[in-house]
Each structure stands twice: as C-alpha cells, then as structure tokens.
Amino acid sequence: MAGNGKVFISHSHDDNARCAPLLAALDAWGVDYFFDTQGLAAGQQLNERIQQEITSRDIFLRICTAAVQRSFWMSLEVNAFRGLQAADRKRGRGSRRVLINLILDGDYSREPFDNATIFIDGANRPRAVWLGELGRALGVQTPAKPGISRRTVLAYGAAGAVTLSTAAAAGALYLDYNSHVSVAKSLAAHIPGSTVWKIENASPKKDLPPFPAVGPDGRIYAVNIASVIAYDPAHLSGGVPRKVWQQALTAQNNYGSPSVYGSVVYVSEDFYIYALKTSDGSKIWRA
C-alpha cells in the first residue's frame, strides 16, 4: 500500500448508490477512507475540509462513470491531487501518492491520463474480480472487520441501510466465499423445486411477512412479531433448521426484512435501526 494507505474517494453525488458495494468492502477491509456526502455547486472552490482530506491521504480513488464529465468539483479534486504528486516528484518522493481510476460505468469515456494511473475496470467484470484487484492495489490481504460501518448506514438513512446490504451481497460472497461452500454442497443433493423444510413463523403481516435474509455464514435471519431469529440450515433439528438464537428487541410489530453483511445483521422498525451480531444476536448499536 502506498504512503499512509488512507484513501480519498472522488465521486459524483449522482453515483452515491453505485458506490455502496465499494464502501462496504472498504469497511470490511478496515481501510481508512474519506467519502464526502455534502457536495459542491459548480463554480465553488474546494472548501478547507476537502483540501485537508486530499492533502492528508496518499491514495486518490477516482470513481469513473459518465457523470465525471459533468462534475466540475471532481476536476478540481483530481487536479489538486496531481499537483501534490508533482510536488512530491520535485522532492524525490514520486511514488508516495497513488491515483487509482475505478470504472463503475460502461459509458465512461477514458481520458488520456488514465493510462498513467492504476486502472481497474469494475463495469464489465464480476464484482469479486475488480474488488480483488482493488484490494491488492490497496495492499489488503484479508478482510479485517466484515460489516458495514455505522457511519455508512447513518449516512444513507434508514431506507438506505437495506440498499447498502443488498448491493454489497456480491462483495460479501467474495470476502466470505469459503463459509458458503459446505452449505451449498449440502443443498445440492435436493431435487430442484421440492420442499426441503418449512418453518412456521408468527408474523405481524399476515398478507406478506418480511422476507428472511441469508448471511455470509449461511444462516437464515428472520423476524416475527417482537424478535429476530437466526436459523442454521446446515444443521437440522426435527427436520427444520436449528434455531441458533432469538433476540427480542421491542414490542413493535412493524419490522422490515433483515439485511446481513459480514458479521452484522441490520433490522429496522418504525423508530429505530438495530445492528446485531450474527454470532449470538447481541446488540451492537441502535440508531
């Protein structure tokens, strides 16, 4: 990893949702990154905070989509970083700062200076492949702390928490692939379309209960009237998946479908979002 390994993410705010799998992966790897959620209007100068972040971070990750050509402030950011690179070269420290271009849109038109940077195509290849390349470029060997950070969930809001976890699913498969293998093999022997098992679940929504979620650990996470339940389909008890834990949260009966990433399961209801440990259901935080 170059320099101090801290990452500045330059992106158009039109691409916030598109960046969700990237942020989830960086969180899982324990990478220190800056992702601005405020934005600047065309014609403004980079504010002091943005300038400080660009100066203090040695890796500049430029999100390349069709929106780049429309983003005045992305041009300011990359020009500022390239100016720092030029100053480093004059001081004999030319390899300290690194610019990485990450293409997340097939409509992006490559620019002349792209070939002089680390160039990763994330638009035309599976997510696991380009995440692997990015991880190697950042010097990441193994995921440090799987899960979406609290700051990322809060930045996107309650509705966005589900989107983040869902969008990051392929990233979770890449980071935790080995944990899926035994479960996948055990299910392969069943006849397609046949009922393997069935669990009765008391749900407050009789017409359409909240959908369960499958985590990277292969467990199934579901909600009923007042609790979250984790089942292990790899180990049957009485013909159904063994219940690993059940966590009662509140008396609320308007739970949404749970979302899982890494070692955290996220559940929302009318007033709160909960983050629980997938291992035992203990509460990490409530927001």
Side-chain angles (χ1 to χ4, degrees), residues 112-150:
F113 79 88
D114 286 352
N115 294 327
T117 69
I118 296 177
F119 190 81
I120 299 175
D121 184 357
N124 302 304
R125 294 180 302 164
R127 185 176 298 162
V129 175
W130 64 260
L131 276 175
E133 287 190 7
L134 178 61
R136 287 189 291 273
L138 297 177
V140 175
Q141 300 300 320
T142 56
K145 48 176 183 178
I148 298 174
S149 69
R150 181 182 183 186

Side-chain angles (χ1 to χ4, degrees), residues 79-232:
N79 287 338
F81 188 80
R82 294 179 72 192
L84 292 171
Q85 285 182 311
D88 283 344
R89 283 193 293 270
K90 290 181 179 179
R91 299 187 183 101
R93 299 185 299 177
S95 61
R96 175 189 169 194
R97 299 179 192 270
V98 174
L99 195 156
I100 301 174
N101 278 304
L102 174 60
I103 296 182
L104 294 182
D105 183 358
D107 293 331
Y108 171 72
S109 299
R110 292 182 63 165
E111 300 180 4
F113 79 88
D114 286 352
N115 294 327
T117 69
I118 296 177
F119 190 81
I120 299 175
D121 184 357
N124 302 304
R125 294 180 302 164
R127 185 176 298 162
V129 175
W130 64 260
L131 276 175
E133 287 190 7
L134 178 61
R136 287 189 291 273
L138 297 177
V140 175
Q141 300 300 320
T142 56
K145 48 176 183 178
I148 298 174
S149 69
R150 181 182 183 186
R151 65 168 177 160
T152 304
V153 173
L154 295 181
Y156 279 81
V162 175
T163 303
L164 274 170
S165 291
T166 304
L173 287 173
Y174 165 67
L175 295 173
D176 301 290
Y177 173 76
N178 289 333
S179 66
H180 286 275
V181 175
S182 61
V183 176
K185 287 181 178 178
S186 68
L187 295 179
H190 295 293
I191 300 173
S194 64
T195 299
V196 180
W197 46 258
K198 180 174 65 176
I199 298 176
E200 297 296 332
N201 186 34
S203 170
K205 300 179 180 179
K206 293 186 174 70
D207 55 337
L208 183 64
F211 296 109
V214 179
D217 53 6
R219 291 179 178 176
I220 297 172
Y221 298 87
V223 297
N224 61 19
I225 293 177
S227 61
V228 182
I229 309 171
Y231 298 97
D232 183 1

Side-chain angles (χ1 to χ4, degrees), residues 8-13 34-40 44-47 49-55 57 59-63 68 71-85 97 99 113:
F8 180 94
I9 302 176
S10 178
H11 70 291
S12 166
H13 288 273
F34 175 80
F35 184 84
D36 180 46
T37 58
Q38 299 301 316
L40 297 170
Q44 286 185 305
Q45 297 298 311
L46 296 178
N47 60 42
R49 183 188 180 209
I50 297 294
Q51 293 182 53
Q52 289 177 346
E53 293 292 347
I54 293 175
T55 303
R57 296 173 182 273
I59 298 177
F60 188 93
L61 183 56
R62 181 171 174 259
I63 306 302
V68 168
S71 181
F72 172 78
W73 64 277
M74 281 188 72
S75 297
L76 292 180
E77 290 174 349
V78 74
N79 287 338
F81 188 80
R82 294 179 72 192
L84 292 171
Q85 285 182 311
R97 299 179 192 270
L99 195 156
F113 79 88

